[in-house]
Amino acid sequence: MFKIQLEKANKRFQYEWIFKNLDLKIESGESIAVTGGNGSGKSTLLKCISGAIPLTSGKISYLKDNKSISDSNWFSHLSIAAPYMELPEEFSLQELLKFHFKFKKCISGFTVEQIIEILFLEDHKSKQISQFSSGMKQRVKLGIALFSEVDLILLDEPTSNLDKKGIKWYQDLVSQYKSNRTILVCSNDPREYEFCLQKIKLGDYK
């Protein structure tokens, strides 16, 4: 059993409150959407949950099997796909995936070659990431996030740079491979979070 709990979470940049008094409990297998317009603080909340940036005040607790997960070990329990996440562009796709899965276990039954096929990037596996289009890079980010064996998947604007066909591919990918894991989607596009049963409007916590 996996759980994240935010208690009276507050984040401020200089004199502006991004969110205030946010209480949130996220349980194993839940899919949650954080909605709000551009600049509402969705990405900031995701970064706080991931541990990339600290809260101004309040508390975030991470638990697995009722045991606390330390801040220093939290990264091993999550994966993330976001527009601001950079990929090492000097690697080929094949090299990047093999490198990544040295640090995080791949979900059971999949090989790097099979993941490349699911990403529809077989013809590009030996190309450097620097030669990929923005849409191809987004598919790689989503593949890395969803095929890592982790408790929590964080998705920030997951269909950015994807065309209509790519959006359908993303929806099918999440439906097929979310496999009872916890997913948090930050978005203002309903197509990205239509599978989420719980929704949080960040504007309610200003």
Side-chain angles (χ1 to χ4, degrees), residues 47-110:
K47 289 176 183 178
C48 289
I49 291 173
S50 74
I53 59 174
L55 293 172
T56 301
S57 60
K59 182 181 179 183
I60 303 180
S61 303
Y62 314 105
L63 297 142
K64 185 160 186 179
D65 299 327
N66 293 319
K67 294 180 181 178
S68 180
I69 303 169
S70 68
D71 292 347
S72 60
N73 192 42
W74 173 229
F75 73 93
S76 65
H77 293 266
L78 66 87
S79 61
I80 182 170
Y84 42 81
M85 186 180 84
E86 297 293 336
L87 298 172
E89 300 210 329
E90 68 275 14
F91 283 10
S92 70
L93 174 59
Q94 210 166 29
E95 289 169 339
L96 171 60
L97 293 178
K98 286 180 178 178
F99 179 75
H100 173 79
F101 290 118
K102 284 182 180 178
F103 298 93
K104 285 196 175 151
K105 192 175 177 182
C106 183
I107 60 175
S108 180
F110 285 90

Side-chain angles (χ1 to χ4, degrees), residues 26-44:
I26 307 172
E27 304 275 1
S28 285
E30 289 186 336
S31 296
I32 298 174
V34 178
T35 66
N38 293 334
S40 62
K42 300 185 301 295
S43 297
T44 300

